[in-house]
Amino acid sequence: MKVVPLLLFVLLAALQYRLWFGKNSIPEYVAMEKSVAEQAKQNAGLLQRNNLLKADIKDLKIGLEAVEERARNELGLIKQGETFYRILPSEE
């Protein structure tokens, strides 16, 4: 008669061990959830960056204004007939 409860207890202990320490255990599940949340956050940032790049590409394909603006800001170019003035702040 004492064998059945003992057998059930051993079975319960084995199942609990697997639940907490075995493969696909609760701690692994929690760590995986954190990893998925981190990846989702990173993906959202990359998606935003991609959307900005797509808008930039669209601007460059459509009009010359964006190209001109980039040339002025990034390369320091000026149009023919324009005069470039550089204003330096005072040293005081």
Side-chain angles (χ1 to χ4, degrees), residues 45-61:
L46 292 173
L47 181 64
Q48 183 180 8
R49 189 192 82 189
N50 286 349
N51 289 337
L52 288 172
L53 288 173
K54 284 179 186 177
D56 201 18
I57 289 170
K58 183 180 176 184
D59 284 345
L60 289 172
K61 284 183 178 179

Side-chain angles (χ1 to χ4, degrees), residues 24-76:
N24 299 327
S25 63
I26 290 177
E28 283 184 20
Y29 173 76
V30 171
M32 191 62 67
E33 268 190 337
K34 284 183 182 179
S35 175
V36 167
E38 231 174 80
Q39 189 66 45
K41 187 177 179 181
Q42 185 179 7
N43 287 350
L46 292 173
L47 181 64
Q48 183 180 8
R49 189 192 82 189
N50 286 349
N51 289 337
L52 288 172
L53 288 173
K54 284 179 186 177
D56 201 18
I57 289 170
K58 183 180 176 184
D59 284 345
L60 289 172
K61 284 183 178 179
I62 290 176
L64 294 176
E65 292 88 18
V67 174
E68 182 180 329
E69 179 184 346
R70 279 193 167 210
R72 289 176 178 271
N73 291 336
E74 294 176 10
L75 302 175

